[in-house]
Structure formats: structure tokens, C-alpha cells
Amino acid sequence: MEDWKKYSFEFLSIFIAVVAAFALNNWNDNRRDKNSESKILIEISNGLEKDLEDIRLNISGHKAGISACNYFRKIVAGNTTEPDSLMYNYFNLTRDFVSIQNVAGYETLKSKGLELIKMTRCDLKLFLFMNMTLILYEN
């Protein structure tokens, strides 16, 4: 009878230790996933901020290009223009604006797996839209 109690206690101790180890491992995995999720979302957010800044610069550049087009229309039409602004307007007319998207956060998310982020439907649609935009941009 003593041996039974002794073995029961040992079995229970080992069982509790194994369950605790699995629980601790699960907690550590969840903590690591939350840290990764947070870092990826911050990286995506920073990328979107830089994309917005790039878009704003492109908009102002395109407005300057439209102004340059109007300047050269006046020249072609024979209207008087300021000759000292010819080089400035020529530069704005021929300048090329390329939208460069920051894709590092999305690429990291794709490599770690979408299940890392707890997404709503809207978030998933945004991610898929960005992914398709990147595919179109690369081709």
C-alpha cells in the first residue's frame, strides 16, 4: 500500500511537471508571437507613413508639372512668358515621379505567415490589396 502511494505521488508530480512545461512553452510561444505581431504592425505602419509622404511629394511634383505644361503652352501660343523660368519649368516638365512602396513589413508578414496577425476582414482585404499592388508593381 505504501508503494502505491509513493508511485502515485511520483506519477502525479511528473504529470504536473510535464503539463506545466507544456503550458510554459505555450505561454512563451504566444508571447513571442505577440512581440512579432507588434513589430510587424509597427513596420507596416511606418511603411504606410513613408508611402503617404511619397504620395504627397508626387502630388506636388505633378502639380508643378501641370504648371510647366501651362507655361510651355503659353510659349507655343505666342504669349509672353518670363524667360528666366524656362529652365525651372523644363525641369518640372521632364521630371519623372515613381511611386516606391515600402514592402518590408508585408514581406516579413508573408514569410512568418498570415496567422501571426489576428486580422479582421477589413485588415485581410487591405493586406490582399497591398499584395496584389506589389505583384502588379513588380511586373
Side-chain angles (χ1 to χ4, degrees), residues 11 18-20 24 26 45 49-50 53 60 68 74 76-77 92 97 103 105 112-113 121 123 129 133 137:
F11 175 76
V18 169
V19 169
L24 188 61
N26 190 27
S45 176
E49 297 267 339
K50 291 188 184 295
E53 182 180 328
S60 66
K74 287 179 184 176
V76 170
N92 285 330
F97 291 95
V103 298
K112 297 231 178 192
R121 277 185 151 176
D123 296 333
F129 171 74
T133 303
Y137 181 73

Side-chain angles (χ1 to χ4, degrees), residues 12-93:
L12 188 60
S13 297
I14 292 170
F15 179 77
I16 290 173
V18 169
V19 169
F22 279 122
L24 188 61
N25 188 37
N26 190 27
W27 171 80
N28 192 32
D29 287 344
N30 288 338
R31 184 184 59 80
R32 191 176 19 187
D33 287 347
K34 284 183 183 179
N35 286 342
S36 293
E37 176 184 14
S38 177
K39 287 178 184 177
I40 289 171
L41 290 176
I42 288 170
E43 192 174 349
I44 289 173
S45 176
N46 291 340
L48 289 173
E49 297 267 339
K50 291 188 184 295
D51 288 345
L52 283 174
E53 182 180 328
D54 186 45
I55 288 170
R56 287 185 189 107
L57 287 172
N58 286 348
I59 288 172
S60 66
H62 288 301
K63 285 181 180 178
I66 291 170
S67 175
C69 284
N70 291 333
Y71 175 83
F72 283 104
R73 278 187 185 164
K74 287 179 184 176
I75 290 176
V76 170
N79 296 337
T80 58
T81 57
E82 298 175 27
D84 60 339
S85 61
L86 180 69
M87 288 303 293
Y88 171 77
N89 283 304
Y90 180 75
F91 172 76
N92 285 330
L93 181 68

